[in-house]
PDB file of all heavy atoms in Angstrom:
ATOM      1  N   THR A 457      21.606  11.685  20.429  1.00  0.00           N
ATOM      2  CA  THR A 457      22.279  12.828  21.019  1.00  0.00           C
ATOM      3  C   THR A 457      21.258  13.911  21.348  1.00  0.00           C
ATOM      4  O   THR A 457      20.122  13.881  20.859  1.00  0.00           O
ATOM      5  CB  THR A 457      23.325  13.400  20.049  1.00  0.00           C
ATOM      6  OG1 THR A 457      22.677  13.710  18.806  1.00  0.00           O
ATOM      7  CG2 THR A 457      24.440  12.400  19.794  1.00  0.00           C
ATOM      8  N   ASP A 458      21.640  14.875  22.162  1.00  0.00           N
ATOM      9  CA  ASP A 458      20.770  16.012  22.456  1.00  0.00           C
ATOM     10  C   ASP A 458      20.505  16.767  21.154  1.00  0.00           C
ATOM     11  O   ASP A 458      21.441  17.138  20.443  1.00  0.00           O
ATOM     12  CB  ASP A 458      21.437  16.925  23.469  1.00  0.00           C
ATOM     13  CG  ASP A 458      20.529  18.071  23.883  1.00  0.00           C
ATOM     14  OD1 ASP A 458      19.312  17.848  24.004  1.00  0.00           O
ATOM     15  OD2 ASP A 458      21.042  19.189  24.072  1.00  0.00           O
ATOM     16  N   GLY A 459      19.234  16.967  20.824  1.00  0.00           N
ATOM     17  CA  GLY A 459      18.873  17.594  19.558  1.00  0.00           C
ATOM     18  C   GLY A 459      18.813  16.617  18.401  1.00  0.00           C
ATOM     19  O   GLY A 459      18.508  17.018  17.269  1.00  0.00           O
ATOM     20  N   GLY A 460      19.086  15.342  18.678  1.00  0.00           N
ATOM     21  CA  GLY A 460      19.008  14.316  17.637  1.00  0.00           C
ATOM     22  C   GLY A 460      17.577  14.104  17.169  1.00  0.00           C
ATOM     23  O   GLY A 460      16.619  14.478  17.852  1.00  0.00           O
ATOM     24  N   VAL A 461      17.426  13.472  16.010  1.00  0.00           N
ATOM     25  CA  VAL A 461      16.119  13.364  15.359  1.00  0.00           C
ATOM     26  C   VAL A 461      15.769  11.898  15.102  1.00  0.00           C
ATOM     27  O   VAL A 461      16.596  11.119  14.606  1.00  0.00           O
ATOM     28  CB  VAL A 461      16.104  14.135  14.018  1.00  0.00           C
ATOM     29  CG1 VAL A 461      14.739  14.007  13.336  1.00  0.00           C
ATOM     30  CG2 VAL A 461      16.444  15.600  14.243  1.00  0.00           C
ATOM     31  N   PHE A 462      14.537  11.554  15.430  1.00  0.00           N
ATOM     32  CA  PHE A 462      13.954  10.261  15.053  1.00  0.00           C
ATOM     33  C   PHE A 462      12.945  10.492  13.944  1.00  0.00           C
ATOM     34  O   PHE A 462      12.164  11.447  13.994  1.00  0.00           O
ATOM     35  CB  PHE A 462      13.232   9.607  16.240  1.00  0.00           C
ATOM     36  CG  PHE A 462      12.383   8.429  15.853  1.00  0.00           C
ATOM     37  CD1 PHE A 462      12.974   7.236  15.460  1.00  0.00           C
ATOM     38  CD2 PHE A 462      10.991   8.512  15.862  1.00  0.00           C
ATOM     39  CE1 PHE A 462      12.194   6.143  15.094  1.00  0.00           C
ATOM     40  CE2 PHE A 462      10.204   7.436  15.494  1.00  0.00           C
ATOM     41  CZ  PHE A 462      10.805   6.238  15.105  1.00  0.00           C
ATOM     42  N   ALA A 463      12.954   9.621  12.939  1.00  0.00           N
ATOM     43  CA  ALA A 463      11.997   9.755  11.836  1.00  0.00           C
ATOM     44  C   ALA A 463      11.497   8.392  11.396  1.00  0.00           C
ATOM     45  O   ALA A 463      12.289   7.493  11.116  1.00  0.00           O
ATOM     46  CB  ALA A 463      12.637  10.481  10.652  1.00  0.00           C
ATOM     47  N   ALA A 464      10.179   8.254  11.352  1.00  0.00           N
ATOM     48  CA  ALA A 464       9.523   7.085  10.776  1.00  0.00           C
ATOM     49  C   ALA A 464       8.825   7.543   9.504  1.00  0.00           C
ATOM     50  O   ALA A 464       7.980   8.443   9.559  1.00  0.00           O
ATOM     51  CB  ALA A 464       8.517   6.486  11.752  1.00  0.00           C
ATOM     52  N   TYR A 465       9.203   6.976   8.365  1.00  0.00           N
ATOM     53  CA  TYR A 465       8.586   7.415   7.112  1.00  0.00           C
ATOM     54  C   TYR A 465       8.145   6.213   6.288  1.00  0.00           C
ATOM     55  O   TYR A 465       8.769   5.150   6.294  1.00  0.00           O
ATOM     56  CB  TYR A 465       9.521   8.334   6.323  1.00  0.00           C
ATOM     57  CG  TYR A 465      10.861   7.759   5.933  1.00  0.00           C
ATOM     58  CD1 TYR A 465      11.087   7.229   4.662  1.00  0.00           C
ATOM     59  CD2 TYR A 465      11.931   7.764   6.826  1.00  0.00           C
ATOM     60  CE1 TYR A 465      12.324   6.733   4.297  1.00  0.00           C
ATOM     61  CE2 TYR A 465      13.171   7.264   6.472  1.00  0.00           C
ATOM     62  CZ  TYR A 465      13.367   6.754   5.207  1.00  0.00           C
ATOM     63  OH  TYR A 465      14.594   6.249   4.847  1.00  0.00           O
ATOM     64  N   ASP A 466       7.025   6.419   5.570  1.00  0.00           N
ATOM     65  CA  ASP A 466       6.373   5.336   4.852  1.00  0.00           C
ATOM     66  C   ASP A 466       5.803   5.834   3.530  1.00  0.00           C
ATOM     67  O   ASP A 466       5.400   6.991   3.409  1.00  0.00           O
ATOM     68  CB  ASP A 466       5.206   4.760   5.677  1.00  0.00           C
ATOM     69  CG  ASP A 466       5.638   4.273   7.039  1.00  0.00           C
ATOM     70  OD1 ASP A 466       6.109   3.133   7.127  1.00  0.00           O
ATOM     71  OD2 ASP A 466       5.516   5.039   8.019  1.00  0.00           O
ATOM     72  N   CYS A 467       5.731   4.907   2.576  1.00  0.00           N
ATOM     73  CA  CYS A 467       5.009   5.167   1.326  1.00  0.00           C
ATOM     74  C   CYS A 467       3.516   4.960   1.541  1.00  0.00           C
ATOM     75  O   CYS A 467       3.104   4.142   2.374  1.00  0.00           O
ATOM     76  CB  CYS A 467       5.439   4.194   0.229  1.00  0.00           C
ATOM     77  SG  CYS A 467       7.027   4.538  -0.507  1.00  0.00           S
ATOM     78  N   ASP A 468       2.715   5.669   0.771  1.00  0.00           N
ATOM     79  CA  ASP A 468       1.310   5.311   0.619  1.00  0.00           C
ATOM     80  C   ASP A 468       1.213   4.328  -0.550  1.00  0.00           C
ATOM     81  O   ASP A 468       1.705   4.611  -1.643  1.00  0.00           O
ATOM     82  CB  ASP A 468       0.465   6.553   0.301  1.00  0.00           C
ATOM     83  CG  ASP A 468       0.242   7.440   1.512  1.00  0.00           C
ATOM     84  OD1 ASP A 468       0.467   6.968   2.640  1.00  0.00           O
ATOM     85  OD2 ASP A 468      -0.145   8.602   1.318  1.00  0.00           O
ATOM     86  N   TRP A 469       0.629   3.173  -0.320  1.00  0.00           N
ATOM     87  CA  TRP A 469       0.464   2.180  -1.385  1.00  0.00           C
ATOM     88  C   TRP A 469      -0.956   2.212  -1.915  1.00  0.00           C
ATOM     89  O   TRP A 469      -1.882   2.392  -1.130  1.00  0.00           O
ATOM     90  CB  TRP A 469       0.779   0.776  -0.856  1.00  0.00           C
ATOM     91  CG  TRP A 469       2.142   0.605  -0.255  1.00  0.00           C
ATOM     92  CD1 TRP A 469       2.420   0.311   1.053  1.00  0.00           C
ATOM     93  CD2 TRP A 469       3.417   0.692  -0.913  1.00  0.00           C
ATOM     94  NE1 TRP A 469       3.775   0.216   1.248  1.00  0.00           N
ATOM     95  CE2 TRP A 469       4.409   0.441   0.049  1.00  0.00           C
ATOM     96  CE3 TRP A 469       3.798   0.956  -2.236  1.00  0.00           C
ATOM     97  CZ2 TRP A 469       5.765   0.450  -0.249  1.00  0.00           C
ATOM     98  CZ3 TRP A 469       5.158   0.961  -2.526  1.00  0.00           C
ATOM     99  CH2 TRP A 469       6.120   0.715  -1.547  1.00  0.00           C
ATOM    100  N   PRO A 470      -1.206   2.022  -3.188  1.00  0.00           N
ATOM    101  CA  PRO A 470      -0.200   1.821  -4.236  1.00  0.00           C
ATOM    102  C   PRO A 470       0.375   3.135  -4.733  1.00  0.00           C
ATOM    103  O   PRO A 470      -0.216   4.202  -4.503  1.00  0.00           O
ATOM    104  CB  PRO A 470      -1.020   1.153  -5.340  1.00  0.00           C
ATOM    105  CG  PRO A 470      -2.399   1.712  -5.178  1.00  0.00           C
ATOM    106  CD  PRO A 470      -2.588   1.873  -3.688  1.00  0.00           C
ATOM    107  N   PRO A 471       1.526   3.084  -5.419  1.00  0.00           N
ATOM    108  CA  PRO A 471       2.055   4.287  -6.050  1.00  0.00           C
ATOM    109  C   PRO A 471       1.046   4.847  -7.058  1.00  0.00           C
ATOM    110  O   PRO A 471       0.259   4.108  -7.649  1.00  0.00           O
ATOM    111  CB  PRO A 471       3.324   3.793  -6.759  1.00  0.00           C
ATOM    112  CG  PRO A 471       3.690   2.516  -6.058  1.00  0.00           C
ATOM    113  CD  PRO A 471       2.391   1.902  -5.646  1.00  0.00           C
ATOM    114  N   VAL A 472       1.080   6.162  -7.256  1.00  0.00           N
ATOM    115  CA  VAL A 472       0.081   6.854  -8.075  1.00  0.00           C
ATOM    116  C   VAL A 472       0.409   6.702  -9.559  1.00  0.00           C
ATOM    117  O   VAL A 472       1.479   7.116 -10.009  1.00  0.00           O
ATOM    118  CB  VAL A 472       0.037   8.353  -7.694  1.00  0.00           C
ATOM    119  CG1 VAL A 472      -0.953   9.099  -8.577  1.00  0.00           C
ATOM    120  CG2 VAL A 472      -0.306   8.512  -6.218  1.00  0.00           C
ATOM    121  N   ILE A 473      -0.532   6.112 -10.327  1.00  0.00           N
ATOM    122  CA  ILE A 473      -0.326   5.972 -11.768  1.00  0.00           C
ATOM    123  C   ILE A 473      -1.630   6.122 -12.559  1.00  0.00           C
ATOM    124  O   ILE A 473      -1.732   6.939 -13.454  1.00  0.00           O
ATOM    125  CB  ILE A 473       0.397   4.636 -12.110  1.00  0.00           C
ATOM    126  CG1 ILE A 473       0.745   4.548 -13.586  1.00  0.00           C
ATOM    127  CG2 ILE A 473      -0.425   3.423 -11.665  1.00  0.00           C
ATOM    128  CD1 ILE A 473       1.737   5.570 -14.057  1.00  0.00           C
ATOM    129  N   HIS A 474      -2.663   5.312 -12.245  1.00  0.00           N
ATOM    130  CA  HIS A 474      -3.952   5.378 -12.946  1.00  0.00           C
ATOM    131  C   HIS A 474      -4.948   4.561 -12.138  1.00  0.00           C
ATOM    132  O   HIS A 474      -4.608   3.515 -11.576  1.00  0.00           O
ATOM    133  CB  HIS A 474      -3.828   4.809 -14.368  1.00  0.00           C
ATOM    134  CG  HIS A 474      -5.083   4.940 -15.183  1.00  0.00           C
ATOM    135  ND1 HIS A 474      -6.060   3.976 -15.205  1.00  0.00           N
ATOM    136  CD2 HIS A 474      -5.506   5.940 -15.993  1.00  0.00           C
ATOM    137  CE1 HIS A 474      -7.040   4.361 -16.003  1.00  0.00           C
ATOM    138  NE2 HIS A 474      -6.727   5.546 -16.492  1.00  0.00           N
ATOM    139  N   TRP A 475      -6.188   5.027 -12.115  1.00  0.00           N
ATOM    140  CA  TRP A 475      -7.159   4.408 -11.205  1.00  0.00           C
ATOM    141  C   TRP A 475      -7.402   2.939 -11.503  1.00  0.00           C
ATOM    142  O   TRP A 475      -7.623   2.135 -10.581  1.00  0.00           O
ATOM    143  CB  TRP A 475      -8.473   5.181 -11.223  1.00  0.00           C
ATOM    144  CG  TRP A 475      -9.298   5.036 -12.483  1.00  0.00           C
ATOM    145  CD1 TRP A 475      -9.256   5.833 -13.590  1.00  0.00           C
ATOM    146  CD2 TRP A 475     -10.278   4.034 -12.755  1.00  0.00           C
ATOM    147  NE1 TRP A 475     -10.140   5.400 -14.533  1.00  0.00           N
ATOM    148  CE2 TRP A 475     -10.787   4.287 -14.050  1.00  0.00           C
ATOM    149  CE3 TRP A 475     -10.783   2.944 -12.040  1.00  0.00           C
ATOM    150  CZ2 TRP A 475     -11.764   3.490 -14.636  1.00  0.00           C
ATOM    151  CZ3 TRP A 475     -11.763   2.152 -12.615  1.00  0.00           C
ATOM    152  CH2 TRP A 475     -12.243   2.434 -13.906  1.00  0.00           C
ATOM    153  N   GLU A 476      -7.372   2.527 -12.766  1.00  0.00           N
ATOM    154  CA  GLU A 476      -7.629   1.114 -13.080  1.00  0.00           C
ATOM    155  C   GLU A 476      -6.498   0.223 -12.563  1.00  0.00           C
ATOM    156  O   GLU A 476      -6.743  -0.859 -12.010  1.00  0.00           O
ATOM    157  CB  GLU A 476      -7.799   0.933 -14.585  1.00  0.00           C
ATOM    158  CG  GLU A 476      -9.105   1.498 -15.121  1.00  0.00           C
ATOM    159  CD  GLU A 476      -9.265   1.253 -16.607  1.00  0.00           C
ATOM    160  OE1 GLU A 476      -8.342   1.614 -17.367  1.00  0.00           O
ATOM    161  OE2 GLU A 476     -10.304   0.693 -16.994  1.00  0.00           O
ATOM    162  N   VAL A 477      -5.260   0.678 -12.743  1.00  0.00           N
ATOM    163  CA  VAL A 477      -4.115  -0.094 -12.257  1.00  0.00           C
ATOM    164  C   VAL A 477      -4.119  -0.135 -10.738  1.00  0.00           C
ATOM    165  O   VAL A 477      -3.913  -1.193 -10.114  1.00  0.00           O
ATOM    166  CB  VAL A 477      -2.803   0.514 -12.780  1.00  0.00           C
ATOM    167  CG1 VAL A 477      -1.613  -0.361 -12.367  1.00  0.00           C
ATOM    168  CG2 VAL A 477      -2.832   0.683 -14.297  1.00  0.00           C
ATOM    169  N   GLU A 478      -4.376   1.014 -10.124  1.00  0.00           N
ATOM    170  CA  GLU A 478      -4.395   1.072  -8.668  1.00  0.00           C
ATOM    171  C   GLU A 478      -5.521   0.219  -8.081  1.00  0.00           C
ATOM    172  O   GLU A 478      -5.340  -0.445  -7.053  1.00  0.00           O
ATOM    173  CB  GLU A 478      -4.543   2.524  -8.215  1.00  0.00           C
ATOM    174  CG  GLU A 478      -3.348   3.397  -8.562  1.00  0.00           C
ATOM    175  CD  GLU A 478      -3.614   4.868  -8.320  1.00  0.00           C
ATOM    176  OE1 GLU A 478      -4.413   5.196  -7.409  1.00  0.00           O
ATOM    177  OE2 GLU A 478      -3.035   5.705  -9.038  1.00  0.00           O
ATOM    178  N   SER A 479      -6.668   0.205  -8.721  1.00  0.00           N
ATOM    179  CA  SER A 479      -7.787  -0.612  -8.236  1.00  0.00           C
ATOM    180  C   SER A 479      -7.454  -2.090  -8.271  1.00  0.00           C
ATOM    181  O   SER A 479      -7.778  -2.848  -7.339  1.00  0.00           O
ATOM    182  CB  SER A 479      -9.042  -0.342  -9.077  1.00  0.00           C
ATOM    183  OG  SER A 479      -9.496   0.983  -8.900  1.00  0.00           O
ATOM    184  N   ALA A 480      -6.798  -2.522  -9.341  1.00  0.00           N
ATOM    185  CA  ALA A 480      -6.405  -3.934  -9.441  1.00  0.00           C
ATOM    186  C   ALA A 480      -5.380  -4.281  -8.374  1.00  0.00           C
ATOM    187  O   ALA A 480      -5.418  -5.378  -7.787  1.00  0.00           O
ATOM    188  CB  ALA A 480      -5.852  -4.220 -10.838  1.00  0.00           C
ATOM    189  N   TYR A 481      -4.469  -3.365  -8.115  1.00  0.00           N
ATOM    190  CA  TYR A 481      -3.487  -3.538  -7.031  1.00  0.00           C
ATOM    191  C   TYR A 481      -4.216  -3.710  -5.691  1.00  0.00           C
ATOM    192  O   TYR A 481      -3.915  -4.628  -4.914  1.00  0.00           O
ATOM    193  CB  TYR A 481      -2.581  -2.308  -7.006  1.00  0.00           C
ATOM    194  CG  TYR A 481      -1.490  -2.280  -5.962  1.00  0.00           C
ATOM    195  CD1 TYR A 481      -0.157  -2.382  -6.329  1.00  0.00           C
ATOM    196  CD2 TYR A 481      -1.790  -2.095  -4.612  1.00  0.00           C
ATOM    197  CE1 TYR A 481       0.854  -2.316  -5.373  1.00  0.00           C
ATOM    198  CE2 TYR A 481      -0.796  -2.028  -3.656  1.00  0.00           C
ATOM    199  CZ  TYR A 481       0.528  -2.132  -4.043  1.00  0.00           C
ATOM    200  OH  TYR A 481       1.527  -2.076  -3.111  1.00  0.00           O
ATOM    201  N   GLU A 482      -5.157  -2.814  -5.416  1.00  0.00           N
ATOM    202  CA  GLU A 482      -5.870  -2.856  -4.141  1.00  0.00           C
ATOM    203  C   GLU A 482      -6.693  -4.128  -3.986  1.00  0.00           C
ATOM    204  O   GLU A 482      -6.795  -4.678  -2.883  1.00  0.00           O
ATOM    205  CB  GLU A 482      -6.742  -1.613  -4.004  1.00  0.00           C
ATOM    206  CG  GLU A 482      -5.927  -0.334  -3.813  1.00  0.00           C
ATOM    207  CD  GLU A 482      -6.767   0.924  -3.812  1.00  0.00           C
ATOM    208  OE1 GLU A 482      -7.966   0.834  -4.147  1.00  0.00           O
ATOM    209  OE2 GLU A 482      -6.237   1.996  -3.474  1.00  0.00           O
ATOM    210  N   ARG A 483      -7.273  -4.618  -5.068  1.00  0.00           N
ATOM    211  CA  ARG A 483      -8.027  -5.876  -4.992  1.00  0.00           C
ATOM    212  C   ARG A 483      -7.106  -7.042  -4.647  1.00  0.00           C
ATOM    213  O   ARG A 483      -7.473  -7.922  -3.855  1.00  0.00           O
ATOM    214  CB  ARG A 483      -8.763  -6.141  -6.307  1.00  0.00           C
ATOM    215  CG  ARG A 483      -9.973  -5.250  -6.537  1.00  0.00           C
ATOM    216  CD  ARG A 483     -10.836  -5.751  -7.672  1.00  0.00           C
ATOM    217  NE  ARG A 483     -10.173  -5.645  -8.969  1.00  0.00           N
ATOM    218  CZ  ARG A 483     -10.189  -4.560  -9.734  1.00  0.00           C
ATOM    219  NH1 ARG A 483     -10.818  -3.468  -9.330  1.00  0.00           N
ATOM    220  NH2 ARG A 483      -9.585  -4.541 -10.913  1.00  0.00           N
ATOM    221  N   LEU A 484      -5.921  -7.049  -5.226  1.00  0.00           N
ATOM    222  CA  LEU A 484      -4.951  -8.110  -4.933  1.00  0.00           C
ATOM    223  C   LEU A 484      -4.557  -8.084  -3.460  1.00  0.00           C
ATOM    224  O   LEU A 484      -4.551  -9.124  -2.789  1.00  0.00           O
ATOM    225  CB  LEU A 484      -3.713  -7.924  -5.817  1.00  0.00           C
ATOM    226  CG  LEU A 484      -2.531  -8.852  -5.518  1.00  0.00           C
ATOM    227  CD1 LEU A 484      -2.882 -10.295  -5.857  1.00  0.00           C
ATOM    228  CD2 LEU A 484      -1.284  -8.407  -6.304  1.00  0.00           C
ATOM    229  N   LEU A 485      -4.251  -6.912  -2.943  1.00  0.00           N
ATOM    230  CA  LEU A 485      -3.825  -6.816  -1.541  1.00  0.00           C
ATOM    231  C   LEU A 485      -4.969  -7.118  -0.577  1.00  0.00           C
ATOM    232  O   LEU A 485      -4.761  -7.757   0.460  1.00  0.00           O
ATOM    233  CB  LEU A 485      -3.244  -5.430  -1.264  1.00  0.00           C
ATOM    234  CG  LEU A 485      -1.732  -5.236  -1.501  1.00  0.00           C
ATOM    235  CD1 LEU A 485      -0.937  -6.033  -0.491  1.00  0.00           C
ATOM    236  CD2 LEU A 485      -1.326  -5.639  -2.917  1.00  0.00           C
ATOM    237  N   ALA A 486      -6.180  -6.674  -0.919  1.00  0.00           N
ATOM    238  CA  ALA A 486      -7.335  -6.959  -0.061  1.00  0.00           C
ATOM    239  C   ALA A 486      -7.602  -8.462  -0.006  1.00  0.00           C
ATOM    240  O   ALA A 486      -7.895  -9.019   1.063  1.00  0.00           O
ATOM    241  CB  ALA A 486      -8.564  -6.212  -0.570  1.00  0.00           C
ATOM    242  N   LYS A 487      -7.498  -9.127  -1.137  1.00  0.00           N
ATOM    243  CA  LYS A 487      -7.712 -10.585  -1.167  1.00  0.00           C
ATOM    244  C   LYS A 487      -6.639 -11.289  -0.347  1.00  0.00           C
ATOM    245  O   LYS A 487      -6.928 -12.270   0.348  1.00  0.00           O
ATOM    246  CB  LYS A 487      -7.689 -11.074  -2.621  1.00  0.00           C
ATOM    247  CG  LYS A 487      -7.920 -12.579  -2.786  1.00  0.00           C
ATOM    248  CD  LYS A 487      -9.323 -12.997  -2.383  1.00  0.00           C
ATOM    249  CE  LYS A 487      -9.600 -14.469  -2.683  1.00  0.00           C
ATOM    250  NZ  LYS A 487      -9.670 -14.754  -4.122  1.00  0.00           N
ATOM    251  N   SER A 488      -5.412 -10.790  -0.387  1.00  0.00           N
ATOM    252  CA  SER A 488      -4.339 -11.427   0.384  1.00  0.00           C
ATOM    253  C   SER A 488      -4.639 -11.364   1.881  1.00  0.00           C
ATOM    254  O   SER A 488      -4.379 -12.334   2.610  1.00  0.00           O
ATOM    255  CB  SER A 488      -2.989 -10.782   0.073  1.00  0.00           C
ATOM    256  OG  SER A 488      -2.877  -9.501   0.657  1.00  0.00           O
ATOM    257  N   GLU A 489      -5.202 -10.262   2.358  1.00  0.00           N
ATOM    258  CA  GLU A 489      -5.514 -10.143   3.784  1.00  0.00           C
ATOM    259  C   GLU A 489      -6.639 -11.097   4.187  1.00  0.00           C
ATOM    260  O   GLU A 489      -6.617 -11.668   5.282  1.00  0.00           O
ATOM    261  CB  GLU A 489      -5.884  -8.699   4.127  1.00  0.00           C
ATOM    262  CG  GLU A 489      -4.729  -7.715   3.978  1.00  0.00           C
ATOM    263  CD  GLU A 489      -3.533  -8.081   4.833  1.00  0.00           C
ATOM    264  OE1 GLU A 489      -3.720  -8.481   6.000  1.00  0.00           O
ATOM    265  OE2 GLU A 489      -2.395  -7.970   4.333  1.00  0.00           O
ATOM    266  N   ILE A 490      -7.609 -11.272   3.318  1.00  0.00           N
ATOM    267  CA  ILE A 490      -8.688 -12.232   3.587  1.00  0.00           C
ATOM    268  C   ILE A 490      -8.115 -13.642   3.689  1.00  0.00           C
ATOM    269  O   ILE A 490      -8.459 -14.427   4.587  1.00  0.00           O
ATOM    270  CB  ILE A 490      -9.757 -12.163   2.477  1.00  0.00           C
ATOM    271  CG1 ILE A 490     -10.485 -10.815   2.545  1.00  0.00           C
ATOM    272  CG2 ILE A 490     -10.745 -13.320   2.587  1.00  0.00           C
ATOM    273  CD1 ILE A 490     -11.399 -10.551   1.373  1.00  0.00           C
ATOM    274  N   LEU A 491      -7.222 -13.980   2.772  1.00  0.00           N
ATOM    275  CA  LEU A 491      -6.644 -15.319   2.741  1.00  0.00           C
ATOM    276  C   LEU A 491      -5.731 -15.577   3.929  1.00  0.00           C
ATOM    277  O   LEU A 491      -5.679 -16.700   4.443  1.00  0.00           O
ATOM    278  CB  LEU A 491      -5.891 -15.525   1.434  1.00  0.00           C
ATOM    279  CG  LEU A 491      -6.769 -15.602   0.185  1.00  0.00           C
ATOM    280  CD1 LEU A 491      -5.911 -15.585  -1.079  1.00  0.00           C
ATOM    281  CD2 LEU A 491      -7.637 -16.869   0.210  1.00  0.00           C
ATOM    282  N   ILE A 492      -5.019 -14.550   4.369  1.00  0.00           N
ATOM    283  CA  ILE A 492      -4.175 -14.713   5.553  1.00  0.00           C
ATOM    284  C   ILE A 492      -5.020 -15.130   6.751  1.00  0.00           C
ATOM    285  O   ILE A 492      -4.646 -16.029   7.516  1.00  0.00           O
ATOM    286  CB  ILE A 492      -3.420 -13.406   5.847  1.00  0.00           C
ATOM    287  CG1 ILE A 492      -2.273 -13.226   4.849  1.00  0.00           C
ATOM    288  CG2 ILE A 492      -2.872 -13.388   7.279  1.00  0.00           C
ATOM    289  CD1 ILE A 492      -1.602 -11.872   4.918  1.00  0.00           C
ATOM    290  N   ALA A 493      -6.185 -14.499   6.905  1.00  0.00           N
ATOM    291  CA  ALA A 493      -7.080 -14.840   8.017  1.00  0.00           C
ATOM    292  C   ALA A 493      -7.587 -16.277   7.903  1.00  0.00           C
ATOM    293  O   ALA A 493      -7.859 -16.929   8.917  1.00  0.00           O
ATOM    294  CB  ALA A 493      -8.247 -13.868   8.057  1.00  0.00           C
ATOM    295  N   GLU A 494      -7.716 -16.769   6.676  1.00  0.00           N
ATOM    296  CA  GLU A 494      -8.215 -18.127   6.457  1.00  0.00           C
ATOM    297  C   GLU A 494      -7.118 -19.184   6.569  1.00  0.00           C
ATOM    298  O   GLU A 494      -7.365 -20.295   7.047  1.00  0.00           O
ATOM    299  CB  GLU A 494      -8.856 -18.220   5.072  1.00  0.00           C
ATOM    300  CG  GLU A 494     -10.108 -17.369   4.901  1.00  0.00           C
ATOM    301  CD  GLU A 494     -10.648 -17.427   3.475  1.00  0.00           C
ATOM    302  OE1 GLU A 494     -10.007 -18.064   2.612  1.00  0.00           O
ATOM    303  OE2 GLU A 494     -11.701 -16.812   3.223  1.00  0.00           O
TER     304      GLU A 494
END
């Protein structure tokens, strides 16, 4: 409608908790992207 609103919203991953937990999360996701390419 006129004046209507569109919104795209996203989380930043990983959720904030502690650097050791977040680092392990990031290593898992980074490895998954490498494997997808392979």
Side-chain angles (χ1 to χ4, degrees):
T457 55
D458 184 37
V461 179
F462 168 71
Y465 59 98
D466 303 276
C467 284
D468 285 344
W469 303 116
V472 178
I473 186 65
H474 184 270
W475 72 268
E476 288 182 307
V477 185
E478 294 170 30
S479 294
Y481 180 111
E482 291 174 350
R483 287 193 293 274
L484 173 67
L485 271 292
K487 181 67 174 291
S488 73
E489 294 302 318
I490 292 171
L491 291 171
I492 285 171
E494 295 176 356

